[in-house]
Amino acid sequence: MATVRRDGFNESIWQSGIAAYHSGQQHSVDLYDVILAGGGITGITTAYELQKGGQHCLILEAQNLCFGTTAGTTAHINNFFDKSYDEVEKGFNKKTAMVLAAAANNALALVKQHIEDLDIDCDYRESPGVLYALDKKQAGQLEKLYEASRRAGIDVEPVNEIPVPVPFKKAIR
């Protein structure tokens, strides 16, 4: 079976030319309140938030900081996941979908706040995402996704235009 190469297997355009980082320092484990496994955006953000709260953190990374999943992204962040909110409702319940949506929205706000607070020059900008259906079957699936997303607290709306020149049956932003 063929597998899709992802995460750290493919070098993203912003990885080339970045040297590997290792502090070279040896530290006693008793100096830390928290040890985090993984130096991607989640691990770095968690350590940063814990340190703001007075915790001493150590990040352990097998490869290089931001190497794996973080490096394999397209550098966009959003409040949609591999599983849609209707799938989360079906597999769990509506409350779980709402908790997931709230967590996603909080994460987006946290990233934006870090960029502002730390004056990070990263060309951050907000742009709407668009999902569209090409046929009747996809339109039905998109309608379920739309309704569940709304119930979960995601700000989505139907649109009549999409940013690509393809015929479509239904679209949401």
Side-chain angles (χ1 to χ4, degrees), residues 6-20:
R6 60 174 282 173
D7 299 341
F9 294 108
N10 292 320
E11 186 173 274
S12 67
I13 59 173
W14 49 86
Q15 277 182 300
S16 61
I18 301 296

Side-chain angles (χ1 to χ4, degrees), residues 128-145:
V130 177
L131 297 175
Y132 58 92
L134 299 176
D135 57 36
K136 188 176 179 179
K137 181 180 176 186
Q138 288 180 355
Q141 293 169 329
L142 187 60
E143 182 62 27
K144 289 178 186 176
L145 183 148

